[in-house]
Amino acid sequence: MALNRRKASSSKAMADAASWFCACLLVTLILLCLFSDSSALREDDEGKLRGKQVLSKPCDEIYVVGEGETLHTISDKCGDPFIVEKNPHIHDPDDVFPGLVIKITPSHNN
C-alpha cells in the first residue's frame, strides 16, 4: 500500500514538472517569435525586408503609394529621381498619401 502511494506521488510530481516545463517552453517560444519578427523588420539592406516590402522588387510604371511612404523612399526604392517632374498632378511633394497613383520611370543605372 505504501509503495502504491509513493508511485502515485512520484507520478504526480513528474506530471507537475512536465506541465511547468511545457508552460515555460511555450512562453519562451512566444517571446522569441515576437522579438525575432520585430528585429527582422528593422533590417535596411537592399534585398532585405523593410516593413513588409522587398526593396529589390522592381517597380511597375504605375505605382500606388503605400502607408508610410514618401517620394524620397519611393525614389530610392524604384530608382526614379524625377518623380515630381513626371507627375504634374503632384503640386506639393510633401503632400503624398496612401493610394496616390504616380508614374515611375526607373533609371537603368541600378
Side-chain angles (χ1 to χ4, degrees):
M1 192 75 149
L3 183 62
N4 286 340
R5 277 191 223 144
R6 236 184 282 152
K7 282 185 180 179
S9 175
S10 176
S11 295
K12 184 178 181 330
M14 286 178 54
D16 286 345
S19 294
W20 274 106
F21 176 77
C22 289
C24 291
L25 182 64
L26 182 62
V27 168
T28 303
L29 288 174
I30 290 171
L31 291 173
L32 189 64
C33 287
L34 289 174
F35 289 119
S36 68
D37 285 347
S38 64
S39 66
L41 295 177
R42 288 188 208 125
E43 294 181 5
D44 201 17
D45 296 335
E46 187 171 351
K48 294 187 180 179
L49 291 178
R50 182 177 190 180
K52 294 184 180 180
Q53 298 176 341
V54 178
L55 289 177
S56 62
K57 176 184 168 193
C59 298
D60 293 329
E61 185 177 334
I62 302 299
Y63 187 88
V64 180
V65 177
E67 185 74 33
E69 290 185 309
T70 65
L71 290 181
H72 181 73
T73 61
I74 296 168
S75 176
D76 288 347
K77 177 180 173 183
C78 299
D80 184 0
F82 304 106
I83 293 175
V84 175
E85 289 84 353
K86 295 174 188 164
N87 291 278
H89 62 283
I90 300 176
H91 302 291
D92 182 4
D94 295 325
D95 189 24
V96 178
F97 52 89
L100 178 67
V101 178
I102 57 176
K103 179 180 177 184
I104 299 290
T105 309
S107 65
H108 297 289
N109 297 341
N110 291 344

